[in-house]
Amino acid sequence: MATQDPDCAPGATTAPPAASPYDEMLTAEGGVRAHYAGLHQRIGTLAAAELAERQRTLERYFLLQGITFTVYGGDSSTERIIPTDLLPRIIPAAEWERIEAGLTQRLRALNMFLADIYGAQQILMDGVVPRELVLGAPSYRREMQNLYVPHEAYANVCGSDLIRQPDGAFAVLEDNLRVPSGVSYMLANREASRRTFPGSFRAAGVRAIDRYPDLLLATLKSMAADWRPNPQIVVLTPGVYNSAYYEHAYLARLMGCPLVEGRDLVVHDNMVYMRTTTGLRRIDVIYRRVDDDFIDPLTFRRDSALGSAGLFNAYRAGNVVICNAPGTGVADDKAVYAYVPAIIRYYLGEDAILPNIETYLCREPTQLAHVLGNLDKLVVKAVGASGGYGMLIGPHASRQEREAFAAAIAADPANYIAQPTIQLSTAPCLVDGEIEPRHVDLRPFILSGEKIVVTPGALTRVALKKGSLVVNSSQGGGSKDTWVLESAPSETQP
Amino acid sequence: MMLARVADSLYWIGRYVERAEHLCRLSDVMLNATLDRNEAAGLVSRIVLSAVGDAELHSADDPYQLAMALALDRNDGGSIVSSLSRARENARQVRDQITTETWERLNLVHLRVTGHDAPRAFNDGASAFLHDIIADLHLFKGAADATMSHGEGWRFLLLGVHLERAQLIGRLLEACFGVRRAPDDHMALMSVLRMSCALEPYLRRFTSDVQGRKVLEFLLLDEEFPRSMRFCTARIEEYLGSAARPAEASSHTAPERLAGRLRARLQYADMEEFDGASGLIASVLDDCAALHQSIYDTFVAYSLETRLPA
């Protein structure tokens, strides 16, 4: 418990797991929240058949656009659309202001933390974060030590996962600083909901998010601005078989940058080139959507064919910028996460605006004992895993599952953390023609370059199975559009 | 500026789309011709089998089964569904290079032929099914023409279309006029014109006096008909001529020279000079194959050593 600062996590410690979840649309008394009034009224006027028809139109739009992800199973793989819900989730302006301020603060601190870790390591010397926790993390990259990163912007693109707790306050569940995805779904959901509820959309006054590609490009440009006035920027994808390929192609297309694969790149004399029809052309900035491990077989995994041999040396030589910087994963490590409020205080002298979820580190013996004694109440996560894999949701698990997990934790405590089971908030969703509450989280996207920009929108992920708390698309989750409002919704409906 | 891999994919989209369209027409004409129980029907089936290069694999006994396999057999790399799947797979790889309008058309036709109800749609009306695919592919080409910049990527797409088309027509002519004497059967010749989508343009040029020799001349040497081999080679030369040249290529690239010579041969060929067409057709097909290889060597798989900065 030593890692947790009580005043940083109001609600998290006091809310019992059984507390009924916060509903985005309805108050505990059953009334409709003011910012949902317009949409609620509109839905009420639509027959079930009409809602279902709009849902079909929306799914057809996704299929036609090829907005699909690939499901692997056996020796065949199929393309599916990510399940998408018709009804937008609405966030009023005042709440968003707090989220925006909290995320900006968090990213400032995390980038400073990365610059410090890969530089003087002052925070380790001051004992704020345990040295072995950082330097022993698999995501720590020794190769990044003392390397110049423009603006100290390591995590150029971040997608943090926020949840709303039963008391209505938002908290950060995890940060994704490596190669976060989902922004194309945010944009596609918006495109779809504008068609589905044009009247409500206009009346509500929703903040625009369509400048995201443009802002991303500006962020990437700013990473090369001080040494190449007109940089050649590319998007590096693992290829068409990657589950997020649609997103890679989408961003490349909307930014007007070439979408390259490892096999298109050539490194010569520590310069990176791409093979064009007329010969080689130099590249200055690589927005890579390939994991650290795979970007350069000479530096990282030798069996990787997804990157380009010599790429990291070109980066070290300062001839190319890789975004996000390799090694950013150490700051979203699930164990380091527990220290983020302390990191924010250390660098900025401020309290975290957005609290963490209370986290038990199994590496600490006293906390380990607490975790093993309360497995039926906790969510346990493997430090190195993501995407909803390697996870135990205690209250929903069987006795055997809990026992198997207890053995795994005891065998390798440092690899596990635990958190109380949080009742994610619920939002109205269209399920089999009925409007029912389902659990949701919130993934906003934050860009860090010369400055930090929080896109006024987010991907709301939905656990489509009734009662489920798992929102990952690989585990049966879906998504929906998120309306961030400009101000209070206008009184008059068209 | 265009990635070599992207140029290659666009080129192959063009080839696969053209191949699928041609196969649709072949299947449709064959099914139509074999409704009549006469000798010409057998001849048409044999021409189709020979043109798709599958004389061994399929039997001509049941044209309907053959057409269905040609359309929907995913295990046959040469089928319509395989061609369209590959075209779309390539399009997915260069999704950032083609416009949304163009992509939608290709994705739509792909959904049509790979959908669960595709076999049923074929059985309900093979002709309508094949016609719809052809119409979809025309929309694809129209969308590409109307919405893509007519730059390098578009040129590689059309390079693929026209080189594939020249080879497909060449193989059809070889099957029809190559080994045996030109058939005089009116219905067989009409079928060949339909397979080349050439019936109406031919009739306007030569009237309904359909003769083997004139059909051959029209499909081989006509200047204006978009499926004649001469027309295709002229387009190929045009697209290659405006392609950006590698820095070290001072004058013409190898593909440009090959295309220019091929176009000139067909432009100045004289039907009176050759008795049997098989020699000419075979050599033109050889040139097309060489052109394909040369395009690949020059723009896609070039040796890096010649292109590294000094």
Side-chain angles (χ1 to χ4, degrees), chain A residues 63-66 79 240 245 249 253 259-261 263-264 268 273-281, chain B residues 1-5 7 88 92-93 95-96 100 103-104 107-108 152 244 299-300 302 304 307-309:
Chain A
L63 190 63
L64 195 61
Q65 293 286 310
E79 276 177 50
V240 70
Y245 177 78
R253 187 158 46 90
L259 179 67
V260 304
E261 298 179 17
R263 55 189 161 135
D264 297 319
H268 177 72
Y273 301 90
M274 58 184 162
R275 297 178 67 116
T276 74
T277 51
T278 52
L280 301 179
R281 188 175 169 119
Chain B
M1 192 279 299
M2 167 155 283
L3 284 178
R5 173 179 57 82
R88 185 202 181 247
R92 242 165 75 76
Q93 296 191 31
R95 181 62 189 83
D96 58 314
T100 298
W103 158 260
E104 276 184 1
N107 196 31
L108 204 67
E152 199 176 2
F299 298 108
V300 181
Y302 51 79
L304 279 181
R307 312 286 175 94
L308 285 173

Side-chain angles (χ1 to χ4, degrees), chain A residues 267-287:
Chain A
V267 182
H268 177 72
D269 262 354
N270 280 342
M271 306 270 187
V272 184
Y273 301 90
M274 58 184 162
R275 297 178 67 116
T276 74
T277 51
T278 52
L280 301 179
R281 188 175 169 119
R282 181 154 168 211
I283 293 172
D284 304 303
V285 180
I286 299 176
Y287 175 42

Side-chain angles (χ1 to χ4, degrees), chain B residues 2-194:
Chain B
M2 167 155 283
L3 284 178
R5 173 179 57 82
V6 168
D8 191 44
S9 279
L10 287 165
Y11 170 80
W12 276 105
I13 294 171
R15 291 200 72 129
Y16 282 127
V17 161
E18 187 63 25
R19 192 174 300 174
E21 186 185 326
H22 184 72
L23 287 174
C24 285
R25 223 173 269 120
L26 253 53
S27 301
D28 186 32
V29 173
M30 178 177 68
L31 285 177
N32 211 333
T34 51
L35 293 178
D36 299 314
R37 289 185 167 275
N38 58 24
E39 203 165 315
L43 182 59
V44 170
S45 288
R46 280 198 298 280
I47 290 173
V48 168
L49 280 174
S50 174
V52 298
D54 257 2
E56 315 280 303
L57 283 174
H58 296 295
S59 97
D61 294 346
D62 187 348
Y64 187 79
Q65 288 303 326
L66 168 63
M68 181 133 179
L70 211 50
L72 297 176
D73 185 355
R74 293 192 199 208
N75 297 318
D76 178 357
S79 67
I80 292 166
V81 65
S82 294
S83 295
L84 289 174
S85 294
R86 287 181 189 165
R88 185 202 181 247
E89 192 63 20
N90 274 288
R92 242 165 75 76
Q93 296 191 31
V94 296
R95 181 62 189 83
D96 58 314
Q97 295 288 335
I98 52 179
T99 56
T100 298
E101 290 81 358
T102 316
W103 158 260
E104 276 184 1
R105 296 336 300 183
L106 189 57
N107 196 31
L108 204 67
V109 63
H110 177 256
L111 292 172
R112 188 196 291 283
V113 293
T114 55
H116 296 298
D117 48 354
R120 208 193 60 213
F122 188 92
N123 284 325
D124 284 353
S127 191
F129 182 75
L130 295 165
H131 265 251
D132 284 348
I133 298 175
I134 293 174
D136 281 349
L137 292 174
H138 285 165
L139 287 175
F140 166 78
K141 287 177 188 163
D145 186 79
T147 63
M148 280 175 71
S149 279
H150 288 202
E152 199 176 2
W154 180 81
R155 283 195 294 269
F156 271 102
L157 181 74
L158 287 185
L159 199 54
V161 166
H162 285 95
L163 189 52
E164 180 73 22
R165 186 180 289 174
Q167 290 180 297
L168 291 169
I169 295 295
R171 262 178 241 132
L172 180 62
L173 293 179
E174 202 169 38
C176 188
F177 301 101
V179 284
R180 65 185 79 83
R181 284 185 53 78
D184 290 327
D185 186 280
H186 186 262
M187 183 179 161
L189 287 172
M190 295 283 277
S191 293
V192 169
L193 285 172
R194 283 203 181 92

